[in-house]
Amino acid sequence: MSERRARPASKNPVKSAWRRAVTPPPQPEPPKPAPAARTTASDSSDVASVVQAVLYRDGVRVSAPATLAETYRELRDQPSGMAWIGLARPTEAELLSLAAEFDLHPLAVEDAMEAHQRPKLERYGETLFVVLRAARYLDAPEEVDFGELHVFVGADFVITVRHGAAPDLSAVRQRMEETPELLKLGPEAVLYAILDAVVDGYEPVVVGVQNDIDEIETEVFRGDPEVSRRIYELSREMVEFQRATRPLVGMLHGLMAGFSKYGTDEELQRYLRDVADHVTHTSERVDGFRQALTEILTVNTTLVTQQQNAEMRALAEAGFEQNEEIKKISSWAAILFAPTLVGTIYGMNFEHMPELGWTFGYPFAICLMGVVCVSLYVIFKRRDWL
């Protein structure tokens, strides 16, 4: 998103307000203390279902009701107001209450209850239902964590239902409240700010994944035995990342197609196109990551196969050398066994052995041993056993 932030300041107050709202400050101020009537202080809380409910009029915060019932009542009393209700893992009763009050479609409510939805954009009458998949990179485990966000946008309300830690909508709310001229544009401006925040959240993930791929390439050529597992896990994360970014491209183009029909503010149109460009760029990067991981896995498989072949060749050579040594040992053992056999027979000292009284018995035995040994040596030598 650096290109958008690097543009010169515009003289258009609405354009400047949008830039201030969607661009995080370099050093964010600590969150303001919550009023006593609030249930929690920010949308990042996971303790209560109703994270924050705030009413706005002309871009300015009017009140922060503590319950949904109070929010309904105050919104009815202020026809020109807008309610922004943030929920985290709400109960079925809370969603049904919102559905009854704001006439939400049952199918959209069912999706918000069950979660685990693919990114999509659907319009039910005057209400727009958007499902987004946010992502954040966790440095410690070096993995990507995905969250799910459901957004209901009506004529005078915005309802966000968050499943997971990402995204941090409290920062979006704070930046919007700091630019009342932008918040004055109504629920549509809030939706675009949320879209921009989700897309901005993809950039650190892209950087983190790129670093992981660089590390994996080094580990592959280093011969790390655990690298295959890491490639597989990162590939699965990239599949999830693709499921989060690819549908978003079509969703944003669908919103742009309805600019004229729904009278979208001209400045919001420009910035939505900018968000669409960044989503397209991110989607292309993710596709590139998957392709790179596939190629790295192929290279790793080739290197592992080569290493295994080298090990098998070394084992075969060692086995061959061992067989040669065994042949030599066996040959000498056979040669030495021949005189031992002859000597053993003549050493039995039986009384009735004709050779015992023979004058040439001893020389004959010696010659027999020599002939047998020489014969065996010649045979083994011809067969390359010696």
Side-chain angles (χ1 to χ4, degrees):
M1 309 300 287
S2 57
E3 296 180 359
R4 184 169 68 251
R5 293 169 186 165
R7 293 175 187 168
S10 172
K11 297 181 181 180
N12 189 319
V14 176
K15 184 174 182 179
S16 300
W18 177 267
R19 181 173 292 109
R20 292 198 303 273
V22 299
T23 306
Q27 295 181 349
E29 299 179 358
K32 301 177 182 179
R38 282 194 211 166
T39 305
T40 59
S42 71
D43 289 63
S44 61
S45 172
D46 291 329
V47 177
S49 297
V50 182
V51 176
Q52 193 173 38
V54 180
L55 265 67
Y56 301 94
R57 183 168 54 193
D58 295 329
V60 179
R61 178 194 289 252
V62 176
S63 63
T67 65
L68 290 177
E70 293 179 13
T71 304
Y72 304 156
R73 184 173 61 254
E74 293 189 22
L75 184 61
R76 295 191 197 102
D77 295 339
Q78 299 181 22
S80 60
M82 178 189 72
W84 184 350
I85 303 172
L87 301 96
R89 301 185 182 93
T91 63
E92 181 178 353
E94 290 168 338
L95 285 176
L96 292 177
S97 173
L98 290 167
E101 178 67 24
F102 296 109
D103 193 24
L104 305 181
H105 197 277
L107 293 178
V109 174
E110 181 181 356
D111 289 343
M113 287 181 184
E114 296 179 356
H116 304 292
Q117 303 294 320
R118 292 178 62 87
K120 62 180 179 179
L121 183 149
E122 296 180 353
R123 187 175 293 275
Y124 298 97
E126 297 298 323
T127 302
L128 193 65
F129 177 61
V130 181
V131 179
L132 303 172
R133 293 292 304 278
R136 59 174 182 165
Y137 186 81
L138 304 179
D139 291 322
E142 293 186 336
E143 61 183 24
V144 183
D145 177 56
F146 294 93
E148 190 168 333
L149 180 66
H150 300 242
V151 185
F152 296 87
V153 182
D156 59 351
F157 66 89
V158 176
I159 302 171
T160 59
V161 180
R162 182 162 51 88
H163 297 273
D168 182 13
L169 296 182
S170 62
V172 178
R173 187 190 294 271
Q174 182 179 353
R175 291 195 297 269
M176 291 290 286
E177 290 181 351
E178 291 173 356
T179 54
E181 62 271 28
L182 175 62
L183 194 55
K184 187 178 180 180
L185 296 178
E188 197 172 24
V190 175
L191 172 62
Y192 293 173
I194 292 174
L195 287 169
D196 188 82
V198 171
V199 174
D200 276 347
Y202 293 153
E203 183 61 27
V205 178
V206 170
V207 174
V209 171
Q210 182 63 67
N211 291 336
D212 287 347
I213 292 178
D214 293 340
E215 293 176 1
I216 287 175
E217 289 177 341
T218 303
E219 293 173 359
V220 165
F221 290 101
R222 190 185 299 163
D224 191 334
E226 297 294 328
V227 71
S228 296
R229 180 183 181 87
R230 189 175 181 188
I231 295 173
Y232 174 73
E233 292 175 348
L234 189 57
S235 297
R236 291 188 60 184
E237 291 176 353
M238 290 305 95
V239 171
E240 290 296 319
F241 206 1
Q242 276 188 327
R243 292 174 180 172
T245 56
R246 274 188 177 178
L248 195 54
V249 176
M251 290 166 52
L252 292 174
H253 283 87
L255 283 175
M256 290 187 293
F259 283 161
S260 301
K261 180 178 180 180
Y262 297 100
T264 303
D265 181 82
E266 183 178 352
E267 207 58 45
L268 295 184
Q269 295 183 26
R270 295 193 182 100
Y271 282 98
L272 185 62
R273 293 191 188 98
D274 188 65
V275 174
D277 290 341
H278 283 80
V279 171
T280 302
H281 176 70
T282 301
S283 180
E284 292 173 352
R285 290 290 303 275
V286 176
D287 292 341
F289 289 156
R290 284 206 64 187
Q291 181 64 29
L293 288 171
T294 301
E295 294 174 355
I296 291 174
L297 186 59
T298 302
V299 171
N300 181 64
T301 303
T302 302
L303 293 176
V304 170
T305 302
Q306 291 176 351
Q307 182 179 1
Q308 291 176 344
N309 291 339
E311 293 175 353
M312 293 178 64
R313 190 182 306 112
L315 290 174
E317 292 175 355
F320 177 77
E321 293 176 359
Q322 186 177 11
N323 290 337
E324 293 299 315
E325 295 297 327
I326 292 175
K327 287 180 180 179
K328 293 179 181 180
I329 295 173
S330 300
S331 300
W332 286 112
I335 293 173
L336 296 175
F337 177 73
T340 303
L341 178 62
V342 175
T344 302
I345 294 174
Y346 279 90
M348 291 188 292
N349 297 321
F350 288 110
E351 182 177 355
H352 300 289
M353 290 183 66
E355 292 85 358
L356 293 178
W358 187 27
T359 303
F360 300 100
Y362 177 74
F364 175 77
I366 296 298
C367 292
L368 180 60
M369 294 181 196
V371 170
V372 172
C373 290
V374 172
S375 299
L376 289 175
Y377 179 82
V378 172
I379 293 173
F380 291 142
K381 193 68 175 177
R382 288 182 176 179
R383 295 185 178 183
D384 294 329
W385 282 37
L386 292 175

